[in-house]
Amino acid sequence: MTPGELAEVLGEPPVPEGTWEREARYVSAVPLRRCVPAEPLAERVRALDGVASVEVRGKGFLRIVVTEPGELLEEEPVRVPFEPGWPDFPRTWDNPGFVVRYGHARACAVRRWARQLGVPEAGFRPGLLDDPCHRRVLRVLAELPGRLGSREPGWESYLLRLALAYHDAHERASAVPVGDEEPGPVHIARVRLARVVGDVLPGPDRL
């Protein structure tokens, strides 16, 4: 289940909620804002493949849990329509411009290494992105559709959060085979994540 598929039923993208480390949750206030009955809309969302549960809370909030958060990577990624004016130097972790550009460069490097090591592009299994570090990246990516339609998207803080989450995942779980390890489905999933992050974050392909 992707944010785009949920938006088709809701009329607008839902907002991710929580950390996603245990479950991937979205919330939507469409019934409240548009003065439509919440339960019929909830029933339409429950009928979608990939939706684990939908609760109606308060006066019209829907709380939606999806089974496979990694499925959001199946949507076409969109580059953020904003180029921060951060300086290139110093190239240290104190410079958000370096953090973001290095995140893009790292994601591009993963794609190059994957090609060299024979990691196929086909066979993506979203359920393999189930460890906490990758779920944190997915959680930030899930904000993108809503921010694209917002008057105050807060792109600088968003890009920095995405880059930091990706750096953590990159360092904790190799996206490509190590040593004598053979390419497998987990590498396909992690390389797919790298591709999407690289498409969203701005920066040069190499630093």
Side-chain angles (χ1 to χ4, degrees):
M1 176 52 54
T2 68
E5 291 170 330
L6 289 171
E8 287 183 9
V9 175
L10 296 169
E12 63 184 48
V15 178
E17 178 188 57
T19 65
W20 282 27
E21 289 191 15
R22 293 187 179 274
E23 65 177 10
R25 302 193 305 268
Y26 292 94
V27 294
S28 175
V30 166
L32 183 63
R33 284 202 302 273
R34 300 189 178 182
C35 298
V36 298
E39 191 54 44
L41 184 58
E43 280 299 318
R44 291 177 59 197
V45 177
R46 289 187 188 107
L48 298 173
D49 290 337
V51 171
S53 65
V54 182
E55 298 178 29
V56 178
R57 295 191 167 188
K59 297 181 179 180
F61 285 92
L62 303 184
R63 181 177 178 272
I64 304 162
V65 178
V66 299
T67 56
E68 298 285 2
E71 287 183 349
L72 67 85
L73 300 182
E74 295 177 342
E75 291 189 329
E76 190 68 26
V78 179
R79 183 176 290 272
V80 169
F82 172 78
E83 188 70 33
W86 290 315
D88 189 23
F89 293 95
R91 290 185 172 177
T92 67
W93 294 103
D94 294 327
N95 178 5
F98 168 75
V99 174
V100 170
R101 295 186 187 102
Y102 187 33
H104 173 84
R106 270 185 153 177
C108 291
V110 163
R111 296 176 67 180
R112 292 194 299 270
W113 298 334
R115 289 192 293 269
Q116 294 167 6
L117 295 172
V119 179
E121 293 187 6
F124 172 56
R125 291 164 53 184
L128 295 176
L129 296 171
D130 59 351
D131 57 281
C133 63
H134 290 116
R135 278 183 170 251
R136 283 192 288 272
V137 180
L138 294 171
R139 166 63 175 78
V140 182
L141 286 171
E143 297 177 21
L144 185 55
R147 288 180 180 270
L148 285 168
S150 173
R151 294 180 180 179
E152 297 181 0
W155 290 127
E156 289 192 1
S157 62
Y158 175 78
L159 292 172
L160 182 58
R161 286 174 50 234
L162 177 58
L164 288 170
Y166 181 68
H167 284 305
D168 184 59
H170 180 87
E171 293 170 4
R172 290 174 179 268
S174 176
V176 295
V178 177
D180 295 331
E181 188 179 13
E182 292 293 325
V186 70
H187 303 113
I188 296 172
R190 292 174 182 176
V191 172
R192 173 71 70 93
L193 182 68
R195 178 178 68 81
V196 173
V197 170
D199 286 343
V200 174
L201 293 177
D205 291 357
R206 299 173 187 266
L207 279 181

